[in-house]
Amino acid sequence: MKYAVLSDVHSNYDAFESVLRKCADLGIDRYLFLGDLVGYNAEPAQCMARARELNFLAAVRGNHDEFTVSGNTELAGFNANATIAIKWTRTQLSDEDLDYLDALPLRAVVPGTAITLVHATLDSPETWGYVFDSHHAVGNFSYQRTQLCFCGHSHVPVAFDKAPLAIGRRLVERIDGWESNVYYPEADEDFSLSDELPVQLEKGHKYLFNIGSIGQPRNGDPRSSFAVYDDEARTVTRYRVPYDVASAQQKVRAAGLPERLAWRLGVGQ
């Protein structure tokens, strides 16, 4: 079975649809979601409706989902642009949308699999911490009871491998290439607008994959990032696909959201 692992859509319907078209081409069987359907961009209701159509096998709540439904007016920890977007998003969603977001758990084990989902970190998902390096990954592995854990939140792909026995290597190692392929298409005639990186899973190892963001990448690459777990091939593959960035930017501006939210889509920051 092939599972598409999606994260951080952030109300970017153009990006979301581009990823789902790629998933259709790949023959995806079921969908998993790591949180933050809403925030930042201009089509939260459309993204909510599309997400419900996918009938996620499992999904968790992100911090933008959390603060959208909380009614909190202070929004501590959010910058000014994110705060404006959350307050605007609240005006765009139905009670049904808000109930859907409110029902999402902070972490979940996917039924019938060896997969755990979390938006931020397994040790304290409610504090919205980040996994950026091996030090943070070690802490996460301490709470990981399944072979695979997928997370998002940082919008930057990064992955780690924990060996059963650390002989001739560190106990936790970063997986080379997972976050690579910086986006410089104008400088490389052979650059592919759609790329993929498969990781072969080894028996006895544990893995932590941050799959990046669909709707607001921050690794210098504006393409949408997501992952696919194939339980027969025993692979996790990271995909990046292009989408109509200009369309998404125009919608942000038309909604009256901050210009920086439109600008950053074009540079992947």
Side-chain angles (χ1 to χ4, degrees):
M1 185 170 287
K2 291 182 179 179
Y3 302 86
V5 190
L6 314 176
S7 190
D8 294 278
V9 170
H10 283 299
S11 303
N12 189 334
Y13 189 74
D14 294 280
F16 198 13
E17 276 299 308
S18 183
V19 165
L20 294 180
R21 286 193 294 270
K22 180 67 173 181
C23 288
D25 291 342
L26 294 170
I28 295 303
D29 297 297
R30 298 303 302 266
Y31 291 86
L32 311 175
F33 187 65
L34 303 178
D36 277 355
L37 266 170
V38 300
Y40 292 127
N41 294 298
E43 295 187 291
Q46 294 87 334
C47 290
M48 291 286 307
R50 194 70 174 95
R52 285 196 294 271
E53 289 175 1
L54 296 176
N55 189 26
F56 294 133
L57 179 60
V60 294
R61 187 189 319 179
N63 55 318
H64 287 254
D65 306 325
E66 167 83 14
F67 280 90
T68 294
V69 302
S70 71
N72 187 316
T73 57
E74 295 182 5
L75 297 172
F78 283 86
N79 64 44
N81 292 330
T83 297
I84 290 169
I86 286 178
K87 291 180 177 179
W88 177 84
T89 297
R90 289 172 177 167
T91 70
Q92 304 300 305
L93 299 181
S94 66
D95 289 342
E96 181 184 12
D97 291 330
L98 296 173
D99 289 344
Y100 179 92
L101 294 176
D102 195 35
L104 294 174
L106 291 175
R107 54 188 163 203
V109 175
V110 181
T113 75
I115 303 172
T116 300
L117 309 180
V118 68
H119 184 66
T121 62
L122 284 178
D123 55 334
S124 55
E126 71 283 353
T127 65
W128 312 115
Y130 295 90
V131 178
F132 284 122
D133 53 33
S134 297
H135 172 73
H136 294 108
V138 168
N140 199 85
F141 279 124
S142 299
Y143 291 82
Q144 185 173 324
R145 302 294 178 255
T146 57
Q147 184 183 27
L148 300 176
C149 179
F150 293 101
C151 67
H153 191 39
S154 69
H155 300 206
V156 178
V158 63
F160 301 92
D161 172 1
K162 182 179 183 292
L165 294 173
I167 299 175
R169 53 161 281 172
R170 288 173 294 185
L171 179 62
V172 173
E173 289 192 340
R174 201 175 186 125
I175 297 176
D176 290 337
W178 185 259
E179 68 273 28
S180 67
N181 295 336
V182 176
Y183 190 72
Y184 293 126
E186 68 281 357
D188 184 354
E189 294 181 356
D190 296 323
F191 188 89
S192 171
L193 283 177
S194 182
D195 71 33
E196 60 187 81
L197 176 72
V199 174
Q200 189 68 50
L201 305 178
E202 297 184 58
K203 187 177 181 179
H205 289 235
K206 285 186 175 180
Y207 297 90
L208 171 62
F209 293 97
N210 185 316
I211 66 168
S213 172
I214 289 175
Q216 196 197 77
R218 295 179 186 169
N219 58 317
D221 186 334
R223 294 172 297 171
S224 295
S225 178
F226 73 104
V228 172
Y229 168 53
D230 187 326
D231 63 0
E232 293 184 6
R234 301 295 301 157
T235 58
V236 172
T237 304
R238 186 220 66 213
Y239 290 91
R240 288 189 179 133
V241 296
Y243 73 94
D244 191 342
V245 173
S247 172
Q249 290 175 314
Q250 189 277 328
K251 291 171 184 176
V252 168
R253 295 178 178 121
L257 293 168
E259 171 61 26
R260 179 171 171 78
L261 296 179
W263 169 83
R264 70 189 306 175
L265 295 177
V267 294
Q269 295 291 348

